[in-house]
Amino acid sequence: MKLTLKDNHRFPALGMGLWKLELDIAAERIYQAIQMGYRHLDAACDYGNEPQVGDGIARALADGLCSRDQLWVTSKLWNTYHAPEHVRPAVERSLSDLKLDYLDLYLIHFPIPLQFVPFEKRYPPGWFFDPHADAPQMKPVSIPLSETWQAMEELVDAGLVKHIGLSNCNIALIREILAIKRIHPSVLQVESHPYLTQEKLLRFCEMHCIAVTAFSPIGAISYLPLGMAKESDSVLAEPIIQKIAGQLGKSEAQVVLRWGMQRGTAVIPKASQIAHLKENFEAQDFELSAEQMAQISALNRNQRFNDPGVFCEQAFNTFFPIFE
């Protein structure tokens, strides 16, 4: 399955999310994923594993598993690099780590501009301005998103990036970018799963020819080890998900991923185990009925697990809400 962008380029609806992919297995898992048929990799500076991801990509390309133009690689501009003069050095660092000449997609990771931290001081810089301070905090700065976007457009002009987009942005911020853009935002990446269906946001993006990628497409499972969700928050335990999985002879995770793709979003589940990589990949091999799709969508309860208005205060001693 593929999604079509405004410029008619297409990219795979199923990708491999690389958040929390462990350093010691990252290169091998990337190689194995590409060998399995994955052609969409979702990386970011902040994940701290781009050099290892780059090793896996380089080996896969050298072994002829696919050509570079068959692979869709996304990375993201971190919060400390929002000032226009830092945008190009940031993407060049990601390209160097990933061992690539260009990115297929580069996203503004969060609409949260933070004080610049030089590469030589700390990379990835993380959320704290000074993690060794007595009371470490984030250090927000005032940089309009429009200025960052214009610097992102220059990356396309320079041939470093094929497409640019946004992540973790609401409709008001997207409107701001649409009002000043020279290059159209190709993709919006946001949290979305059956507990957070984001219907209005998806409809708005469709109206404006912006493709949507859903991160955390299975919901709470990514957040349990971080204490950001409880076992009872798992959509996989929902009776209707389990019933549909039983009817189709599929796993609950496959049903939820298929729902995400079938509603028109790309999904980027993370998997460390080969069995889970294979299971996720096979979510492309069946269809849900209209009734099953509606039953899953009806689970929505507007529950957000990745909310800076919560985790920034809990983990980084700074209240910084971006969603109402």
Side-chain angles (χ1 to χ4, degrees):
M1 298 178 66
K2 291 192 174 184
L3 302 186
T4 302
L5 301 176
K6 182 177 174 63
D7 64 0
N8 290 321
H9 279 83
R10 304 180 76 212
F11 74 108
L14 177 70
M16 181 184 181
L18 306 181
W19 179 44
K20 299 196 304 174
L21 183 63
E22 299 85 348
L23 297 184
D24 59 338
I25 64 170
E28 185 65 17
R29 287 296 179 272
I30 293 298
Y31 184 89
Q32 291 165 327
I34 294 173
Q35 191 173 46
M36 194 178 294
Y38 281 86
R39 294 294 182 267
H40 177 179
L41 304 173
D42 186 83
C45 153
D46 187 55
Y47 301 165
N49 54 16
E50 288 192 328
Q52 293 76 18
V53 170
D55 289 341
I57 293 173
R59 180 183 160 207
L61 294 178
D63 288 353
L65 299 187
C66 69
S67 60
R68 174 63 186 94
D69 62 358
Q70 293 172 323
L71 200 59
W72 180 279
V73 182
T74 297
S75 188
K76 306 178 188 77
L77 178 79
W78 185 239
N79 302 337
T80 52
Y81 307 133
H82 276 221
E85 65 269 23
H86 299 142
V87 172
R88 179 160 179 163
V91 77
E92 289 176 337
R93 175 60 186 261
S94 280
L95 286 170
S96 176
D97 286 346
L98 291 166
K99 301 166 183 65
L100 297 174
D101 295 326
Y102 68 89
L103 291 172
D104 298 277
L105 176 65
Y106 199 45
L107 304 173
I108 298 176
H109 203 152
F110 285 94
I112 301 177
L114 298 179
Q115 181 66 47
F116 175 64
V117 176
F119 296 156
E120 61 273 18
K121 181 175 182 179
R122 192 172 65 253
Y123 189 90
W127 292 83
F128 287 131
F129 178 66
D130 180 2
H132 304 297
D134 291 339
Q137 291 184 311
M138 295 161 49
K139 190 172 182 180
V141 292
S142 296
I143 301 172
L145 194 66
S146 57
E147 291 186 8
T148 306
W149 184 259
Q150 288 164 346
M152 296 278 284
E153 292 176 326
E154 293 177 5
L155 304 180
V156 180
D157 298 337
L160 299 173
V161 171
K162 299 288 187 183
H163 302 89
I164 51 178
L166 302 163
S167 183
N168 296 295
C169 286
N170 62 21
I171 289 174
L173 285 176
I174 301 169
R175 286 187 191 278
E176 176 186 333
I177 297 304
L178 290 175
I180 61 92
K181 55 89 177 166
R182 176 170 58 86
I183 296 176
H184 193 81
S186 293
V187 177
L188 172 70
Q189 185 174 129
V190 291
E191 179 182 350
S192 188
H193 41 75
Y195 284 162
L196 184 66
T197 56
Q198 305 257 41
E199 300 289 349
K200 291 179 182 177
L201 182 59
L202 265 61
R203 182 178 173 185
F204 176 85
C205 287
E206 183 178 12
M207 288 172 57
H208 292 276
C209 299
I210 301 171
V212 175
T213 296
F215 72 75
S216 303
I218 303 177
I221 192 167
S222 296
Y223 301 96
L224 294 174
L226 303 175
M228 295 166 68
K230 306 182 295 294
E231 290 284 351
S232 59
D233 291 324
S234 176
V235 71
L236 304 184
E238 286 284 350
I240 190 60
I241 300 292
Q242 295 180 343
K243 179 182 177 181
I244 293 171
Q247 290 170 340
L248 297 174
K250 299 293 181 179
S251 72
E252 289 81 5
Q254 286 174 324
V255 167
V256 173
L257 290 175
R258 180 67 202 192
W259 169 83
M261 288 184 282
Q262 208 166 306
R263 71 199 294 253
T265 65
V267 295
I268 47 170
K270 174 253 183 182
S272 293
Q273 300 178 30
I274 292 295
H276 289 160
L277 269 177
K278 185 174 186 294
E279 178 183 338
N280 293 344
F281 194 74
E282 292 173 351
Q284 301 174 99
D285 298 340
F286 66 99
E287 288 193 9
L288 298 168
S289 69
E291 180 182 6
Q292 289 167 334
M293 289 290 294
Q295 289 171 329
I296 297 171
S297 295
L299 295 173
N300 180 53
R301 54 195 196 193
N302 297 318
Q303 184 172 9
R304 191 184 302 276
F305 297 108
N306 194 319
D307 187 347
V310 176
F311 73 73
C312 285
E313 187 168 28
Q314 293 178 345
F316 307 116
N317 307 317
T318 310
F319 180 54
F320 203 107
I322 62 173
F323 305 115
E324 291 75 14

